Amino acid sequence: MSSNDTILTMENITKTFGPVKALTDVNLSVDRGEIHAICGENGAGKSTLMNVLSGVYPYGSYSGKITFDGKECKYHTINDSEADGIVIIHQELALSPFLSIAENIFIGNEQAKGGVIDWDKTRAEAKKLLDRVGLPEDPDTKVMDIGVGKQQLVEIAKALSKDVKLLILDEPTAALNDEDSAHLLDLVRQLRDEQGVTSIIITHKLNEVAAIADNVTIIRDGSTVGVMYVTPETPLDQEELIRKMVGRPLHNLYPNHPSNTPGEEYLRVEDWTVHHPLDAERVIVDHANINVHAGEIVGLAGLMGAGRTEMAMSIFGHSYGSNISGKVFVKGKEVKMPNVQSAIDAGLAYATEDRKGNGLNLLQNIRENASLASLINGMNPITISLLAAVFLKEKIHKRHIASICISIAGVYIILGVGGASVNAAGLGAALIFTVPCAILESVRTPPIFTGSAVLACIYLGVAGTAVAHTLWNM
């Protein structure tokens, strides 16, 4: 295409957090009316790049040049980019569960006359937008009463209400089932074909990239490493895409799983029964049993709502549930864990499913988060702060947890950027100061964030219980 068909260019974008370079001279070019995929491993800098584009990271906090729709952009807030028609839908949906669909669509963009919200117009315009995205819901329905797939459509309707020219979707199908994912991708195609909306999509699902992308930009370690052009005559070469993402040939998408001789028994759970915290008659976990040995990784698979995460939380210091019964043995000895402190003392660590909401304090840096588990052990906070970086470095190197992917210089970075950093930090916070004999980890997207936990189990020789939506391919 000619330069006149290019709607977005990002040139030599460099973004640093303290001493760490998250992006180094990244270049991106997106043609008008295309669906452009950005691919890369966890922590490659994909979300960071989009945050730079959308004004989450304001002009002046990065170097490089952004040109959108023919003019240079210097966005200081996300409102600035939205005024130009750039709308980003983040991994964590920005919806209020307690407000209606209509209220969420027009939040910050209220349909008002004379300073008073026109609710009839709000509902009518919301209904039109819902029709455009194929969501047959009453605009007055509260967001908490619809599923995640429909919430994604509400986010897109919200974007359309802002006269979107460039729609950025960051991991839009990560929490969706196959049917909802297919519907969402069909909608993105429809927006391109019928309304001329240009889209940028970030996803780890390579089958989706192959199905929907017109072109693909690959980012590795914060740098652009290539662009792959997709046409009907030259479909996407997934093996080549993976090679560019990881920097080496990948001979097996799912490597052979070597047999592992279990060591001594580390964790045994017998007849574990948990009732709902608000409804004591409702059984959530019914006489479950688990047996985990040293160096062994046990996956708990099941449908949404099967009780896997609830079981892990209830084992870890009765963090969930009521009328909990059953026995827990650590190294053959029965232990009582009525609270989180007792679980830590017994040698358990828990990496929460919602890292941001329940596992980390996003106002603190990685060093401070990694020391939180020790604060309740009675250590002096000032001592912990002084020793945290030293402990992190010693344990990351000497205990071979470099695979957690937290650089030593990066222990001072503020959290809340990319999903990979948050997940790695969440696991690191569970491990660094409390050397556990067993790790309980809840994950939403198993194939993406499991490597750190797996290698931690191998290197530390601990037992691991993974609460996953599907069996891990390991």
Side-chain angles (χ1 to χ4, degrees):
M1 291 185 175
S2 67
S3 60
N4 292 333
D5 292 317
T6 300
I7 191 172
L8 170 71
T9 58
M10 301 181 74
E11 303 173 73
N12 303 316
I13 302 297
T14 298
K15 172 64 179 173
T16 61
F17 295 94
V20 177
K21 274 192 175 182
L23 299 173
T24 305
D25 293 326
V26 173
N27 295 292
L28 174 67
S29 178
V30 179
D31 292 332
R32 190 182 306 276
E34 77 166 343
I35 299 172
H36 196 106
I38 299 180
C39 294
E41 289 189 288
N42 299 308
K46 307 179 296 296
S47 296
T48 301
L49 182 65
M50 293 299 97
N51 285 336
V52 167
L53 170 60
S54 60
V56 173
Y57 300 134
Y59 177 77
S61 67
Y62 62 89
S63 62
K65 181 181 178 181
I66 300 175
T67 304
F68 179 71
D69 211 10
K71 71 174 184 178
E72 184 176 355
C73 304
K74 299 179 179 179
Y75 300 134
H76 292 278
T77 68
I78 198 167
N79 290 333
D80 295 339
S81 63
E82 288 184 349
D84 279 350
I86 300 174
V87 180
I88 183 170
I89 300 177
H90 294 279
Q91 295 180 40
E92 293 84 14
L93 302 181
L95 299 174
S96 171
F98 304 105
L99 297 180
S100 70
I101 292 174
E103 289 170 318
N104 270 282
I105 288 175
F106 292 107
I107 192 168
N109 184 31
E110 287 77 11
Q111 306 297 293
K113 291 181 180 179
V116 178
I117 295 177
D118 185 337
W119 290 110
D120 290 336
K121 183 179 180 181
T122 297
R123 295 185 187 94
E125 293 300 319
K127 184 66 172 62
K128 292 178 183 178
L129 292 167
L130 294 178
D131 290 341
R132 287 176 67 184
V133 300
L135 182 57
E137 290 286 341
D138 187 331
D140 289 327
T141 302
K142 282 187 168 50
V143 164
M144 69 170 66
D145 295 328
I146 62 176
V148 176
K150 292 181 178 180
Q151 289 179 22
Q152 282 280 7
L153 298 181
V154 172
E155 280 280 20
I156 295 177
K158 188 163 110 178
L160 294 176
S161 75
K162 300 172 183 177
D163 297 323
V164 59
K165 297 179 182 177
L166 175 63
L167 179 64
I168 304 168
L169 298 142
D170 193 351
E171 297 288 352
T173 63
L176 304 186
N177 59 34
D178 290 344
E179 182 179 354
D180 287 340
S181 296
H183 179 66
L184 180 65
L185 296 180
D186 285 341
L187 175 60
V188 174
R189 291 191 193 94
Q190 179 183 334
L191 293 175
R192 175 196 62 187
D193 298 338
E194 298 180 7
Q195 302 177 36
V197 176
T198 305
S199 296
I200 294 176
I201 184 169
I202 298 174
T203 179
H204 287 91
K205 300 179 180 179
L206 300 189
N207 61 317
E208 294 180 355
V209 176
I212 198 172
D214 298 309
N215 292 306
V216 183
T217 294
I218 303 99
I219 298 177
R220 185 173 71 241
D221 298 329
S223 299
T224 306
V225 295
V227 178
M228 299 181 70
Y229 301 98
V230 183
T231 67
E233 295 75 25
T234 57
L236 182 68
D237 185 337
Q238 293 193 40
E239 290 187 4
E240 177 66 11
L241 174 59
I242 294 171
R243 188 191 67 77
K244 289 180 179 293
M245 287 171 58
V246 302
R248 63 186 183 279
L250 193 65
H251 301 294
N252 295 299
L253 187 58
Y254 299 112
N256 293 329
H257 187 177
S259 59
N260 177 44
T261 302
E264 65 174 315
E265 180 186 81
Y266 263 32
L267 177 68
R268 183 170 81 252
V269 180
E270 295 181 350
D271 295 323
W272 196 253
T273 300
V274 181
H275 294 254
H276 193 279
L278 300 180
D279 183 0
E281 299 298 321
R282 181 182 171 191
V283 178
I284 303 299
V285 181
D286 191 6
H287 294 90
N289 297 279
I290 299 177
N291 190 289
V292 191
H293 293 77
E296 183 180 39
I297 300 167
V298 176
L300 302 182
L303 296 174
M304 186 77 72
R308 296 149 300 133
T309 296
E310 291 81 358
M311 180 176 181
M313 291 179 65
S314 63
I315 293 172
F316 190 72
H318 293 193
S319 300
Y320 174 89
S322 63
N323 298 338
I324 298 173
S325 61
K327 296 181 179 180
V328 178
F329 298 84
V330 176
K331 294 184 178 181
K333 181 181 178 181
E334 185 178 358
V335 295
K336 302 291 185 181
M337 296 179 291
N339 51 52
V340 170
Q341 179 61 69
S342 60
I344 294 174
D345 292 341
L348 298 188
Y350 180 60
T352 61
E353 178 180 24
D354 183 357
R355 306 285 204 256
K356 287 186 175 181
N358 300 323
L360 298 166
N361 182 346
L362 300 182
L363 299 179
Q364 294 180 305
N365 57 38
I366 294 174
R367 180 194 64 180
E368 293 163 338
N369 272 277
S371 66
L372 290 177
S374 294
L375 286 173
I376 57 177
N377 279 327
M379 289 181 65
N380 185 289
I382 297 177
T383 302
I384 290 176
S385 180
L386 293 173
L387 294 179
V390 177
F391 272 47
L392 278 169
K393 182 173 182 179
E394 177 182 350
K395 294 200 174 187
I396 287 175
H397 285 293
K398 291 188 178 181
R399 304 195 66 86
H400 308 286
I401 314 178
S403 54
I404 291 178
C405 305
I406 304 174
S407 66
I408 302 306
V411 298
Y412 297 100
I413 295 177
I414 300 297
L415 295 173
V417 284
S421 300
V422 171
N423 278 274
L427 182 59
L431 293 178
I432 298 301
F433 273 85
T434 57
V435 183
C437 69
I439 304 168
L440 302 172
E441 183 182 32
S442 294
V443 290
R444 287 178 176 172
T445 49
I448 299 176
F449 295 118
T450 56
S452 298
V454 170
L455 289 174
C457 289
I458 293 171
Y459 288 134
L460 289 172
V462 303
T465 300
V467 181
H469 287 178
T470 58
L471 284 174
W472 288 0
N473 294 300
M474 296 183 292

